[in-house]
Amino acid sequence: MCHKAMSINARPNRVLISLLWVVVLVGCSGTSTLSEEEVRSEMKSDLSLAAETTLFIRQSRPTRRYIEGEASYLRDEVKDSVKQFDKALPETGTENSINTCKTQLQLLDRELSSVPVEMGNADALAAAKERISEIRNTLEKASSAL
């Protein structure tokens, strides 16, 4: 009888322990909600990345090491921004702006991947500047839509 009483009392403890684990796992998942203000702030940072990319391309005689290092740095920043959007749940009303921003960041990453190869090719860099300008314009529109 004593054994039966212990197993009945142990059952609520198991359920409680299981629920605690669920709470811990959800809390540690890294998922949070991005408020509209946080999305706007992240988008301002992304606009800065696009502007910095344009300035980077306009460098007059950068060294190969500088080109590769700066492109790598900017690509890392772009990827970090995409991760911020990917790991957080968007607040209602921000989904379209977030999706637009992620798409534009992927395009910016593509441009940055080609810059080290194209440095020295004035026509290719002019075309890249134009595409980056379009990326910036699209980011500005998405940001103002919030």
Side-chain angles (χ1 to χ4, degrees), residues 35-91:
S35 70
E36 187 175 313
E37 188 57 38
E38 290 169 320
V39 171
R40 192 175 286 116
S41 175
E42 188 65 36
M43 291 180 92
K44 283 181 184 177
S45 294
D46 298 335
L47 280 164
S48 293
L49 284 172
E52 191 172 345
T53 301
T54 301
L55 291 173
F56 163 59
I57 291 174
R58 290 182 180 168
Q59 296 282 328
S60 62
R61 289 185 176 231
T63 65
R64 171 62 57 194
R65 180 176 279 168
Y66 173 78
I67 293 167
E68 290 170 354
E70 186 69 8
S72 177
Y73 160 75
L74 290 167
R75 289 187 76 196
D76 288 346
E77 292 296 314
V78 166
K79 289 173 186 173
D80 285 346
S81 187
V82 170
K83 284 180 190 176
Q84 291 293 337
F85 286 130
D86 282 343
K87 75 178 186 180
L89 300 172
E91 191 175 79

Side-chain angles (χ1 to χ4, degrees), residues 1-59:
M1 184 120 176
C2 184
H3 181 350
K4 211 174 202 182
M6 285 177 62
S7 66
I8 291 172
N9 288 334
R11 176 174 233 134
N13 287 338
R14 282 190 216 144
V15 171
L16 182 60
I17 289 171
S18 296
L19 285 174
L20 285 172
W21 272 111
V22 168
V23 169
V24 167
L25 291 174
V26 169
C28 293
S29 70
T31 303
S32 62
T33 301
L34 275 177
S35 70
E36 187 175 313
E37 188 57 38
E38 290 169 320
V39 171
R40 192 175 286 116
S41 175
E42 188 65 36
M43 291 180 92
K44 283 181 184 177
S45 294
D46 298 335
L47 280 164
S48 293
L49 284 172
E52 191 172 345
T53 301
T54 301
L55 291 173
F56 163 59
I57 291 174
R58 290 182 180 168
Q59 296 282 328

